[in-house]
Amino acid sequence: MSVAEHDVLIVGGGMVGLTCAILLAQFAKDAARSFSIGIVETSPPAPAPPSADIELRVSALSRASRMILQFSGIWPTIAATRISPYQRMCVWQADGAAGSARSISFDAAELGEPNLGYIVENGVIRRAAWERVNALDSVSLHLASAPAELREEADALVLILENGERLRTRLLVGADGVRSWVRQALGVPTREREYGQRAIIAHVESERSHRKTAWQRFIAGGPVALLPLDDGRSSVVWSCPDAMATELMAADQRIFDQRLTLATDQVLGSLTTTTPRADFPLSLAHAERYTGRRYALIGDAAHRVHPLAGQGANLGLLDAAALAETLAAQQASLVVDPGDPVILRRYERWRKGDNLLTMGVLDGLHRLFGAGWVPAARLGGLGMGIVDRLAPVKRRLALYAMGGSGDLPVAARSS
Ligand SMILES: Cc1cc2nc3c(=O)[nH]c(=O)nc-3n(C[C@H](O)[C@H](O)[C@H](O)COP(=O)(O)OP(=O)(O)OC[C@H]3O[C@@H](n4cnc5c(N)ncnc54)[C@H](O)[C@@H]3O)c2cc1C
């Protein structure tokens, strides 16, 4: 069997892997380099569902992510399909109330911004990115079979697929999600912690308008969030302990709706589920290394965070943009050797610190509010109220949540 040769081979065509491929192809084209990119994906995106209904899986995208998708040329397709911009965010604690002294709220208008971010269907992002990679001459797709074995040669890695296909590459990028085959095949140690929680998702109709506001209430056991959708409904992300999640998943709709309405403190009045529910186990994971000789890890393959602040995809898109920029900054490296560990290490240094910071903040919030330790939670509630009245601190927090702080890749900077 012949061997396909690539400069960069990306395993995983989720939103992060596809965005990385698009950016790499774009940078190489700008530098007039001939550059071959391969993508191995075992589950290509399904076609758009025939109904116009909003799909169940959505992500809160930061403004930085929007910039990256814009830079990648896919934002117009996404925006033309469907996006739900949100203008306000309100976070409060079980023993307080939304808008009380124990809550914190952000308003885009106060920050001089048109919005704080966008709620977008994962399927819409992925299909737009998929369409784009299919139109790129320098990208080839390997969809027939999953990776089975990885071999090291003097100047390349060879990925052997289950069907025997051999793919030779100078750089292997693991973008294959939280259970990354690439990370395991390379033997990269990973620190992991199960939260013993699951996130339940569904879309709901509410008695009162969501007012384009993302609502999040911290209650014992985990946070519950209502993300505003363009059609007037809200997307629920309810993180709760495993046993409670099992019970809620099995509950009939009337009971589930009642409990959800109470959990959200009736902030939008009575809630009525309009979709099936789905649930996801929650864990914290961080690869000890993102790079090494001829490999780099990006997105959930490198790190997994709690969804309480909706940052996983946002961090992954920043990884994708930073890796592409690192390789392109060394224009010669696109041609000479994109697998050079010294160059790859720059990407790791760039992103690992930012990712660690975000993971630490999210884990700290989870412990402070979600672990059910009452004194800590009380302190947290008080802290929220204080921060809400400290304009400069609050502004920094808002910019951070919008992805507008830190060392941003060129693709993520607002023009
Ligand atoms: C309930 C919930 C809510 C969330 N909400 C938000 C949010 O609001 N905002 C946000 O930023 N993030 C959010 N996240 C996190 C976000 O969904 C993930 O961080 C993001 O999807 C990771 O993208 P990825 O491309 O790295 O990985 P994935 O989306 O997991 O994609 C990996 C791809 O690799 C493919 N693959 C896997 N194994 C192989 C293999 N062996 N060979 C070939 N291909 C393979 C898969 O088919 C898939 O296409 C949420 C997560 C959860 C669970």
Side-chain angles (χ1 to χ4, degrees), residues 226-286:
L226 295 170
L227 308 173
L229 299 175
D230 195 41
D231 63 3
R233 290 181 298 167
S234 297
S235 169
V236 175
V237 187
W238 188 356
S239 307
C240 49
D242 284 334
M244 182 174 159
T246 306
E247 196 192 319
L248 286 171
M249 286 299 289
D252 75 32
Q253 192 195 322
R254 193 178 51 85
I255 301 287
F256 180 81
D257 289 349
Q258 278 171 0
R259 290 191 59 181
L260 181 63
T261 301
L262 285 177
T264 54
D265 203 19
Q266 303 190 56
V267 70
L268 300 182
S270 292
L271 302 175
T272 310
T273 315
T274 60
T275 59
R277 290 158 240 163
D279 64 332
F280 300 85
L282 301 181
S283 60
L284 181 78
H286 201 202

Side-chain angles (χ1 to χ4, degrees), residues 38-80:
I39 298 177
V40 179
E41 170 58 60
T42 42
S43 310
S51 106
D53 204 17
I54 297 182
E55 292 167 61
L56 192 53
R57 291 226 49 194
V58 298
S59 292
L61 292 187
S62 66
R63 303 279 308 283
S65 290
R66 195 212 83 170
M67 292 312 298
I68 293 171
L69 298 173
Q70 177 95 40
F71 195 91
S72 310
I74 59 173
W75 184 254
T77 309
I78 294 170

Side-chain angles (χ1 to χ4, degrees), residues 7-13 16-21 24 35 37-40 147 150 157 159 169-177 180-183 186 290-291 293-299 301-302 316 319-320 323-324 327 338-339 344 347:
D7 294 300
V8 177
L9 182 65
I10 300 172
V11 178
V16 172
L18 294 174
T19 304
C20 187
L24 271 172
F35 199 65
I37 301 163
I39 298 177
V40 179
L150 192 60
L157 287 176
L159 184 70
T169 184
R170 296 191 299 158
L171 170 61
L172 181 70
V173 176
D176 47 348
S180 173
W181 181 92
V182 170
R183 192 184 65 220
L186 290 161
Y290 289 10
T291 61
R293 201 173 135 66
R294 306 215 167 278
Y295 76 83
L297 301 175
I298 57 175
D319 292 347
L323 178 61
L327 295 173
L344 294 171
Y347 152 72

Side-chain angles (χ1 to χ4, degrees), residues 288-369:
E288 281 185 16
R289 294 189 300 274
Y290 289 10
T291 61
R293 201 173 135 66
R294 306 215 167 278
Y295 76 83
L297 301 175
I298 57 175
D300 274 17
H303 43 75
R304 185 177 207 206
V305 297
H306 197 289
L308 68 82
Q311 287 299 334
N314 291 316
L315 295 179
L317 290 172
L318 284 168
D319 292 347
L323 178 61
E325 188 177 321
T326 305
L327 295 173
Q330 304 294 313
Q331 277 196 10
S333 75
L334 281 178
V335 174
V336 177
D337 192 355
D340 181 342
V342 177
I343 294 166
L344 294 171
R345 186 83 181 104
R346 287 181 203 146
Y347 152 72
E348 172 162 351
R349 277 199 301 272
W350 186 354
R351 291 300 305 148
K352 206 172 184 184
D354 274 5
N355 288 337
L356 263 171
L357 178 69
T358 304
M359 292 175 86
V361 170
L362 297 184
D363 194 43
L365 285 174
H366 165 73
R367 284 167 192 257
L368 192 59
F369 297 108

